Amino acid sequence: MKLFVGLGNPGAKYAQNRHNIGFMAMDEIARDHGFSPWRAKFQGQVADGRLGGQKVALLKPETFMNLSGQSVNAAMQFYKIDPSDVTVFHDELDLAPAKCRVKMGGGHAGHNGLRSIHQHIGADYQRVRMGIGHPGHKDRVAAYVLHDFAKSDAEWLDDVLRGCGDGAPHLADGDNGKFMNAVALRVNPNHSAPKETAKPAKQPTQKQAKDDVPAPTDNRSAMQKLMDKFNR
């Protein structure tokens, strides 16, 4: 049993905020893989289904970001799972937009949702860090994450979310590399390993070139050939 958690704040007011990219990822995975309808449970919204060979519960805590750990802990207790079975999708200021990285354990880097989860279950859970970029100064962070994505972000955001949906079965099965490849293929579908440059055809040597010239056709009659032989 795996628990995927998307972080965000509940309500239409926050639905398109940068801080809610985790909620968006859960919605995409649920749609793509035919999960059950969302229902209220564990102080949040839960949907059940399967990804790859794993049974998975998707959770969107509705405690507001700063108390996300309460909801995550309640779900863990119900499903009787360990922190290592939990993967948290969240916005990441320290990654450029459209970048996505998987990380096990570590600090919360000031993210209030992760801070709350640390307090309730410890740090030994997996995270999917979804880059949203940085506003440039720490004093602008709160307003930045609680502001809607710009219209110019729509294309890459859709690609990242679709990539999360594509790669979710790999993530559930523990293949983080394939998950990140799935996201990368959506974000940059034309990227591929450089092809080997074809070697130019080898130029023929002077002798080969001479040998390759066809001999001229002799259309003379037998009599003409005989006469030409004696006229030399």
Side-chain angles (χ1 to χ4, degrees), residues 213-228:
V213 176
T217 303
D218 191 346
N219 295 319
R220 294 176 299 167
S221 66
M223 181 61 71
Q224 186 64 48
K225 288 179 182 179
L226 183 61
M227 290 176 66
D228 288 347

Side-chain angles (χ1 to χ4, degrees), residues 124-140:
D124 298 327
Y125 58 93
Q126 184 167 259
R127 308 94 187 271
V128 175
R129 305 164 63 220
M130 305 178 73
I132 61 169
H134 198 286
H137 194 281
K138 64 180 182 179
D139 292 342
R140 296 165 55 193

